[in-house]
């Protein structure tokens, strides 16, 4: 509810914010903190990070100053239509230390920066995106959280959050900027990406279209004026395509920070027999002596093994989650790498995704194994990589190489049973663009061969459901 004494514009709000520290819960997309705020707070030592605890005493007046009318549709739950938007929105934010110290100065295993955020701050980030934390695993480099809608990964100076359905992912960006500031961190790199929606009319503000998303990003003056990012569309507008926003002002210091790459495989219309494995009631119900939590954990690991997902990430620490009545999410971590899978098995909108930032010289075996496990009718593959990362890959190890000799122009999946028919996927299109200084974005579409119409028929290839522009 809006107070009658509320300032009428952002400049009025900002003048009040210079006099009081704003509760994180009150920050909206219009919130812009003054650069002068940085000068009022001393830089803290790395072993004593600034507390991010929110002081709520005497802050009711400030709470009432912040208007949320521009974001109100993001708070409204939409009725379930029987269809689910599987393809995820992904937001990645990287930070650097304000004291100028190189990030690599932190000893392995040391919690610093974003990994010092208390759970309540992570919950607040997720709340703004309209999702919740369900479980977590950690190693010396990463904290990985399974969400009610996908995943969150937190490194010392990087955070990646991936959400599906009708979540409002971009609404958590202002919170992230402020949390970083309170930890004496500066925003260094922002990347937002997603495939075009299958059911765009179900989305909430600010995700009604890519144009609306860009306008929302540009409304963050602290982000736009400092990093000055740009939006891109890769792929045919009449088929599956990929939207990307990147703002990059990273100061490269060493090879370990200059060879990143993220592979994402988005699979549609997965094999019905495989989709059946992700229905909760296909497994033994609650056993004697089990709690509800025990049952969910058991079924989660049974689904993981039944689909062969455990074999896709050998040696990794797993955190799977089965959902009722259907659906599945999984995080796995190994050293500095993460793996994440999300599966929507509903007939008519079945979908499975696999993403990893593991630095492989060749992705050939991994891609073949993932596609073989789910046998989709079609899939979209994306790769976001620094130029240093591309140079580390073998010539035939890049799934989105433009060279026609690349083995990924055609992928052959052997039959499941002896005497069965193999499946062949053909790459139907390819797109790439170099953004900012050295970030390369690539995407391609693959379709199972029998779904492609023979050119001699002089007919247009089949169009799949949800082929929207949004």
């Amino acid at each position: 509810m809006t107070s009658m004494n509320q300032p009428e514009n952002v400049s009025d709000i900002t003048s009040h914010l210079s006099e009081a520290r704003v509760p994180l819960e009150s920050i909206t997309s219009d919130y812009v903190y003054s650069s002068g705020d940085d000068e009022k707070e001393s830089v803290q030592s790395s072993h004593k990070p600034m507390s991010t605890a929110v002081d709520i005493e005497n802050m009711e007046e400030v709470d009432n100053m912040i208007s949320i009318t521009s974001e109100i549709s993001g708070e409204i739950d939409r009725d379930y239509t029987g269809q689910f938007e599987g393809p995820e929105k992904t937001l990645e934010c990287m930070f650097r230390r304000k004291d100028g110290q190189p990030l690599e100065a932190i000893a392995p295993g040391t919690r610093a920066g974003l990994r010092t955020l208390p759970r309540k701050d992570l919950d607040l980030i997720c709340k703004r995106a309209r999702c919740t934390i369900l479980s977590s695993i950690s190693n010396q480099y990463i904290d990985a959280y399974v969400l009610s809608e996908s995943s969150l990964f937190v490194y010392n100076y990087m955070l990646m959050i991936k959400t599906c359905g009708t979540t409002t992912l971009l609404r958590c960006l202002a919170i992230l900027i402020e949390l970083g500031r309170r930890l004496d961190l500066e925003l260094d790199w922002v990347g937002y990406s997603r495939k075009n929606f299958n059911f765009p009319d179900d989305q909430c503000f600010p995700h009604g279209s890519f144009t609306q998303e860009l306008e929302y990003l540009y409304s963050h003056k602290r982000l736009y004026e400092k990093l000055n990012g740009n939006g891109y569309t890769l792929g045919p507008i009449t088929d599956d395509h990929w939207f990307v926003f990147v703002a990059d002002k990273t100061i490269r210091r060493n090879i370990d920070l200059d060879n990143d790459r993220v592979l994402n495989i988005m699979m549609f219309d997965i094999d019905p027999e495989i989709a059946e494995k992700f229905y909760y009631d296909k497994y033994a119900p609650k056993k004697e002596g089990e709690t509800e939590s025990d049952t969910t954990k058991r079924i989660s690991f049974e689904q993981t093994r039944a689909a062969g997902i455990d074999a896709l990430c050998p040696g990794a620490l797993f955190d799977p989650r089965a959902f009722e009545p259907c659906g599945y999410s999984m995080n796995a971590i190994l050293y500095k790498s993460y793996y994440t899978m999300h599966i929507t098995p509903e007939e008519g909108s079945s979908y499975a995704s696999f993403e990893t930032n593991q630095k492989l010289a060749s992705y050939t075996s991994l891609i073949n194994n993932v596609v073989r496990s789910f046998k989709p009718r079609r899939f979209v593959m994306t790769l976001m990589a620094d130029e240093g990362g591309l140079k580390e890959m073998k010539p035939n190890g890049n799934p989105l190489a433009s060279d026609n000799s690349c083995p990924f122009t055609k992928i052959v999946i052997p039959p499941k049973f002896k005497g069965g028919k193999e499946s062949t996927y053909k790459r139907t299109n390819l797109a790439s663009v170099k953004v900012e200084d050295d970030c390369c974005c690539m995407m391609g579409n693959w379709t199972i061969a029998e779904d492609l119409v023979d050119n001699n028929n002089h007919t247009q290839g089949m169009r799949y459901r949800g082929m929207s522009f949004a």
Side-chain angles (χ1 to χ4, degrees):
M1 182 176 295
T2 305
S3 169
M4 294 182 63
N5 296 322
Q6 179 181 320
E8 296 182 354
N9 54 50
V10 175
S11 61
D12 291 334
I13 294 175
T14 305
S15 66
H16 286 271
L17 296 183
S18 63
E19 302 172 2
R21 193 175 189 182
V22 179
L24 291 172
E25 293 88 343
S26 300
I27 297 174
T28 73
S29 64
D30 294 325
Y31 171 68
V32 182
Y33 69 86
S34 170
S35 58
D37 293 343
D38 298 336
E39 300 171 0
K40 297 175 184 178
E41 299 182 81
S42 61
V43 176
Q44 306 296 305
S45 62
S46 61
H47 64 281
K48 291 183 178 180
M50 184 183 297
S51 171
T52 60
V54 179
D55 181 8
I56 60 175
E57 295 182 2
N58 302 319
M59 298 302 285
E60 291 183 4
E61 181 180 352
V62 178
D63 286 342
N64 290 331
M65 295 178 196
I66 309 296
S67 171
I68 60 170
T69 54
S70 67
E71 305 196 11
I72 194 167
S73 67
E75 301 287 356
I76 299 174
D77 286 325
R78 304 295 180 88
D79 293 334
Y80 178 59
T81 62
Q83 299 170 319
F84 187 79
E85 189 69 62
E88 301 91 349
K89 314 171 185 82
T90 301
L91 177 65
E92 182 175 325
C93 296
M94 298 184 67
F95 294 81
R96 61 172 170 252
R97 293 168 52 165
K98 287 184 180 178
D99 61 10
Q101 290 297 312
L103 305 186
E104 60 271 22
I106 302 296
T110 302
R111 285 184 172 272
L114 300 174
R115 293 187 76 191
T116 66
L117 290 173
R119 171 64 182 266
K120 64 181 180 180
D121 285 347
L122 297 179
D123 287 336
L124 183 58
I125 292 170
C126 293
K127 180 181 178 181
R128 190 56 62 91
R130 300 175 76 244
C131 58
T132 57
I133 294 174
L134 301 179
S135 61
S136 65
I137 52 175
S138 297
N139 64 15
Q140 61 179 327
Y141 297 102
I142 318 169
D143 299 322
Y145 301 85
V146 171
L147 307 181
S148 54
E149 281 81 18
S150 299
S151 297
L152 166 67
F153 297 93
V154 183
Y155 293 76
N156 282 342
Y157 300 103
M158 191 270 278
L159 181 147
M160 189 278 275
I161 182 168
K162 188 180 180 81
T163 63
C164 57
T166 57
T167 49
T168 52
L169 180 58
L170 289 179
R171 294 184 68 239
C172 71
L173 184 57
I175 299 292
L176 285 171
I177 294 172
E178 174 62 12
L179 286 172
R181 186 182 74 91
R182 295 184 184 188
L183 290 168
D184 288 317
L185 302 177
E186 292 183 303
L187 195 62
D188 199 33
W189 190 95
V190 173
Y192 171 74
S193 63
R194 66 168 176 86
K195 196 191 80 67
N196 57 305
F197 293 128
N198 291 324
F199 312 109
D201 293 341
D202 293 341
Q203 294 297 315
C204 300
F205 175 86
H207 298 286
S209 67
F210 189 50
T211 298
Q212 187 180 76
E213 290 168 330
L214 290 178
E215 290 174 348
Y216 188 88
L217 287 165
Y218 295 152
S219 74
H220 291 271
K221 294 183 176 64
R222 186 68 171 172
L223 168 67
Y224 182 62
E225 293 177 359
K226 180 179 179 182
L227 299 185
N228 192 24
N230 292 292
Y232 305 85
T233 301
L234 285 81
I237 198 67
T238 54
D239 204 333
D240 289 317
H241 48 279
W242 189 37
F243 295 117
V244 178
F245 170 88
V246 172
D248 182 7
K249 290 296 180 289
T250 302
I251 301 173
R252 267 71 179 184
R253 287 190 176 93
N254 63 47
I255 187 64
D256 191 51
L257 298 177
D258 201 21
N259 61 353
D260 292 335
R261 45 195 179 273
V262 177
L263 176 75
N264 189 15
I265 306 172
M266 296 169 275
M267 298 169 281
F268 300 86
D269 302 319
I270 62 178
D271 186 282
E273 291 185 8
I274 297 171
E276 283 289 316
K277 299 180 187 296
F278 298 100
Y279 280 81
Y280 203 88
D281 61 5
K282 296 296 180 182
Y283 299 83
K286 183 178 178 181
K287 297 180 179 180
E288 185 177 353
E290 280 188 337
T291 64
E292 291 293 338
S293 178
D294 291 336
T295 303
T296 298
K297 185 175 181 179
R298 171 176 56 81
I299 293 176
S300 299
F301 277 97
E302 287 177 354
Q303 290 184 357
T304 302
R305 291 188 291 268
I309 294 173
D310 54 332
L312 299 176
C313 318
L317 176 63
F318 278 80
D319 184 18
R321 178 79 180 204
F323 294 92
E324 295 185 77
C326 64
Y328 173 91
S329 288
M330 180 279 294
N331 288 340
I333 53 178
L334 179 64
Y335 192 49
K336 296 181 180 180
S337 301
Y338 69 77
Y339 311 81
T340 184
M341 286 210 70
H342 304 284
I343 299 165
T344 302
E346 289 100 325
E347 184 178 1
S349 59
S350 64
Y351 170 80
S353 68
F354 177 91
E355 179 176 317
T356 182
N357 66 345
Q358 186 179 19
K359 298 175 182 178
L360 298 176
S362 174
Y363 290 93
T364 303
S365 296
L366 179 60
I367 292 168
N368 286 344
N369 290 337
V370 170
V371 175
R372 182 183 293 111
S373 297
F374 292 91
K375 298 183 179 178
R377 303 301 297 180
R378 78 185 199 278
F379 64 90
V380 178
M381 197 184 312
T382 66
L383 179 68
M384 185 177 289
D386 288 334
E387 287 185 324
L390 293 178
K391 291 177 181 178
E392 288 184 353
M393 298 172 65
K394 294 179 179 179
N396 64 348
N398 183 353
L400 294 159
S402 58
D403 186 354
N404 288 330
S405 64
C406 175
F408 290 98
T409 57
K410 182 171 70 173
I411 296 177
V412 178
I413 304 300
K416 184 175 182 180
F417 303 105
K418 186 177 181 180
K421 184 181 178 182
E422 67 181 17
S423 299
T424 301
Y425 295 87
K426 292 185 178 180
R427 193 171 68 189
T428 56
N429 55 65
L430 183 69
S432 63
V433 63
K434 181 179 177 181
V435 303
E436 305 306 317
D437 291 333
D438 73 340
C439 180
C440 301
C441 300
M442 309 176 189
M443 71 86 65
N445 296 331
W446 278 258
T447 302
I448 200 164
E450 51 262 41
D451 283 351
L452 295 174
V453 178
D454 188 347
N455 290 334
N456 293 331
N457 291 337
H458 303 292
T459 57
Q460 185 178 8
M462 70 179 349
R463 294 291 181 202
Y464 295 90
R465 54 161 180 77
M467 218 41 72
S468 73
F469 299 148

